[in-house]
Amino acid sequence: MGNKIVNYGVPSFIICCSRTMRRQMDRNLTFHKLVAYMIALMTAIHMVAHLLNVEWYNNSRQGVYDELSTTLSDLADMENTTYLNPIRTTNLNPQQIPLYFAFTSIAGLTGIIITLALILMITSSMEVIRRSYFEVFWYTHHLFVIFFAGLVIHGIGGIVRRQSNMEEHNFTLCKDQADDWGKIPECPNPEFEGGPAATWMWVLGPMIIYAAERLLRLIRYVQNVQYRKIVMRPSKVLELQLVKKGFKMEVGQYIFLNCPAISQLEWHPFTMTSAPEEDFFSVHIRSAGDWTDKLIEIMQKLPEGAQGPKMGVDGPFGTASEDVFDYEVSMLVGAGIGVTPFASILKSIWYRFKDNDPKLRTRKIYFYWLCRETHAFEWFADLLQLLEKEMEQRGLWDFLTYKLFLTGWDQSHADHVMVHFDEDTDVVTGLKQKTHYGRPSWDKEFEQVRRDNPASVVGMFLCGPAALANVLEKKCGKYSDVDPRRTKFYFNKENF
C-alpha cells in the first residue's frame, strides 16, 4: 500500500487564495513604484493644465478675449473675496505677470516646491544612483515630507473658483448684459469663491500611519542589542550574531539595521541567516557600498571579544520565503550573498529533523546556489555538511537535493579540480555533492523537478538579480500544467 498525503483542515481554495494574496503583497515595492509613476504623470498633467490656465487668465486680464471674459476678469475684489480671475496684478509687463504670479501666490510657490521635490525624489531613485550612491537616494527620498506638506497647503490659495450666488443670477439673461450687472434685480454682480482645500483629508490617514510606524521604530531603536559574536568570513562578508530581549523571528525574514557611529538616519535591510530555533539572530553583510564598508572597517578594528558599536534593530519583517514550508516541494535559488534567506531555511530544517517535528509538511527541497568565486562557498559549506550528515543518519537522502554552481574560475583552479576529480568529496566545498561549473540549464532542472513530483504544487523562491528573476518566472509559467491536478510552479522573489 503506497503512501498517501491527506490535507486535513483548511480547504485548498482558501490556501490558494491566501497564497495569491501574500504573493501580491510581496510585490509592495513594485506597487510603490507604480504609485510613484502615476503621481509623476498626474503632476505633469496638472502642471500643464495650470500653465495654460495662467496664460488664459492673463490674456483675459489684458482684454485679449471677448467682452464677457474681460468683464469677469475685471470684477473687483469686494467683501468675501468675490473676484473670479486670480491674477490681480495689472501694473507689470504682461509677459512678466505669469512668472510673478507663480512666485507670489500660495498655489504657485507651493507648486514649484513640491514639483522640485518630486523631480529630486524620482531622479535619485534610479537604479544607477540607488546602487552607487545610496545616501543620495536615502536623503532625497525624505523630501516626501516637504512634498506632502506643500500639497496640503497648495489648495489654500483657492485659484480654482466657483460662483457662489448662482440662485440669484439668471445666467441666460445676464451673460449678454454685462453693463447691467448690479443695476437690475435679475443680474446682481456675480460673486465667486475658492473651493476649500481638501488634500489634508486624503493624506491625513497615511501620515498618521507613517508617524506611528516611525514611533514604533524609535521604540525598537532604543532597545538594547548585544553582540554574541562578530566573524569576518571570506569574500569580505561580515557575520553578526546579535541578541535582543523578546526578539522572535521566522525563516527568511529580514531586519533593518542602523549604526549611529556611521549615520543617525540610515537604515539598511538585511536578511537573517539564523533559524527561529536558535537563541540569537544573525546577518551576513557583504561589502556593497559606503555604509557596509564603514561597518566592516569598524568591526575589523575591534579587539577580539569586544562589543561592537551601538546597533539599532527594527523588525523582523516578512518576505516571500516565509511560505517555503507551505509547499510540499520547494525550489530555492540563491545568487551570491542572495543565499542568506535560504541559510535560515536550511538551518530550521536541520533543527526540525533533529527535534522530530511532526508539523514539517515539506517532503522535498531543491537548492541551487550560483557564485562567481570559490571563497563565497566557504561560510555556507559547514551548514550543508551538517545537513548531509543529518540526512544520511536518517536515511533521507532524497529530502534535500542541492547543486552549487561556480560561474567564474581561472585555469589554475581548473587544473586543480582535474587533479582531484576522483576524490569522494568536492575540492571546493568539501561536500559529497560536486560543484558544477557554469550556469544551470533551467529547462533541464524544471523538467527534472516536474518529472520527479507529478501532481505537486512547487514553490520557487529566488533571492537574486532581476535578470535571473525574469528567467525563472517565465520558466514557472512554462512548466506549470494547465490541469490543476498536475504539477504547478509558483514564483516568489525577495524584494529590497
Side-chain angles (χ1 to χ4, degrees), residues 20-31:
T20 301
M21 180 62 69
R22 288 196 302 270
R23 291 178 69 247
Q24 294 305 317
M25 294 189 71
D26 285 332
R27 297 180 178 179
N28 56 347
L29 283 183
T30 302
F31 177 72

Side-chain angles (χ1 to χ4, degrees), residues 134-135 138-139 257-259 263-268 291:
F134 183 83
E135 291 79 5
W138 179 261
Y139 290 116
L257 294 183
N258 170 268
C259 183
S263 171
Q264 291 280 351
L265 299 177
E266 288 186 44
W267 292 80
H268 293 264
W291 193 90

Side-chain angles (χ1 to χ4, degrees), residues 118-184:
L118 185 63
I119 291 171
L120 287 172
M121 283 191 290
I122 291 176
T123 53
S124 65
S125 299
M126 293 188 297
E127 188 169 358
V128 63
I129 294 178
R130 194 174 70 249
R131 297 289 184 188
S132 304
Y133 306 98
F134 183 83
E135 291 79 5
V136 174
F137 157 75
W138 179 261
Y139 290 116
T140 54
H141 225 60
H142 283 76
L143 289 172
F144 81 90
V145 176
I146 295 174
F147 178 86
F148 280 107
L151 198 61
V152 170
I153 301 170
H154 188 59
I156 294 176
I159 65 169
V160 178
R161 305 179 69 78
R162 62 192 178 193
Q163 188 170 349
S164 58
N165 62 341
M166 284 288 294
E167 296 80 4
E168 306 169 12
H169 207 89
N170 187 333
F171 169 78
T172 305
L173 173 66
C174 302
K175 66 183 179 65
D176 297 322
Q177 300 184 32
D179 292 338
D180 294 330
W181 289 356
K183 297 177 182 178
I184 59 175

Side-chain angles (χ1 to χ4, degrees), residues 185-259:
E186 294 85 358
C187 299
N189 282 316
E191 298 177 2
F192 298 88
E193 62 182 2
T199 306
W200 65 270
M201 293 188 293
W202 298 96
V203 302
L204 181 63
M207 289 298 100
I208 290 174
I209 294 173
Y210 175 77
E213 191 272 338
R214 298 302 295 187
L215 179 61
L216 179 61
R217 175 169 285 189
L218 178 62
I219 293 172
R220 288 173 168 172
Y221 171 74
V222 298
Q223 292 174 340
N224 185 42
V225 176
Q226 295 288 325
Y227 290 85
R228 182 179 181 270
K229 202 172 187 180
I230 301 172
V231 184
M232 278 305 305
R233 299 292 185 182
S235 300
K236 211 173 182 183
V237 172
L238 171 67
E239 179 185 357
L240 298 180
Q241 295 183 9
L242 306 171
V243 178
K244 182 179 178 182
K245 186 177 180 180
F247 187 91
K248 294 181 180 179
M249 62 165 288
E250 296 295 335
V251 294
Q253 290 186 324
Y254 68 95
I255 55 175
F256 280 93
L257 294 183
N258 170 268
C259 183

Side-chain angles (χ1 to χ4, degrees), residues 274-468:
S274 51
E277 293 82 1
E278 294 175 314
D279 59 357
F280 63 91
F281 60 98
S282 65
V283 292
H284 284 69
I285 301 172
R286 176 175 60 90
S287 173
D290 293 341
W291 193 90
T292 52
D293 286 343
K294 290 175 183 176
L295 181 64
I296 291 172
E297 183 181 349
I298 290 172
M299 296 303 181
Q300 287 177 327
K301 292 179 180 179
L302 290 174
E304 188 172 351
Q307 284 286 305
K310 176 178 172 55
M311 187 70 71
V313 175
D314 188 21
F317 300 100
T319 67
S321 297
E322 283 185 78
D323 298 337
V324 67
F325 295 128
D326 292 339
Y327 295 90
E328 293 178 356
V329 181
S330 293
M331 296 175 69
L332 315 179
V333 181
I337 199 67
V339 75
T340 49
F342 308 133
S344 174
I345 292 168
L346 295 176
K347 281 184 182 179
S348 184
I349 289 172
W350 184 79
Y351 280 109
R352 293 185 187 206
F353 271 115
K354 190 176 179 181
D355 298 336
N356 295 310
D357 185 357
K359 297 180 181 179
L360 183 61
R361 182 185 176 196
T362 306
R363 57 179 178 80
K364 180 68 177 178
I365 285 182
Y366 297 85
F367 173 59
Y368 307 85
W369 188 13
L370 289 66
C371 271
R372 288 196 183 101
E373 53 186 20
T374 57
H375 295 301
F377 289 124
E378 294 176 13
W379 71 271
F380 200 68
D382 292 342
L383 172 61
L384 290 176
Q385 286 177 351
L386 282 174
L387 283 168
E388 272 190 343
K389 185 177 179 182
E390 189 72 23
M391 299 301 111
E392 184 178 8
Q393 289 176 350
R394 295 177 179 271
L396 295 171
W397 277 107
D398 290 338
F399 178 81
L400 174 66
T401 297
Y402 65 89
K403 295 182 179 181
L404 310 182
F405 292 85
L406 185 64
T407 58
W409 64 91
D410 55 25
Q411 187 59 44
S412 62
H413 177 79
D415 295 339
H416 183 62
V417 170
M418 290 293 293
V419 171
H420 299 276
F421 180 76
D422 293 330
E423 295 185 6
D424 293 335
T425 57
D426 184 66
V427 68
V428 176
T429 62
L431 297 166
K432 293 183 179 179
Q433 173 67 52
K434 297 297 181 73
T435 299
H436 298 262
Y437 293 85
R439 300 185 182 278
S441 172
W442 291 116
D443 285 304
K444 290 182 179 179
E445 299 299 334
F446 273 83
E447 188 62 53
Q448 181 68 42
V449 171
R450 187 171 67 172
R451 186 166 54 251
D452 293 346
N453 302 277
S456 294
V457 177
V458 181
M460 156 62 73
F461 297 87
L462 167 69
C463 189
L468 181 57

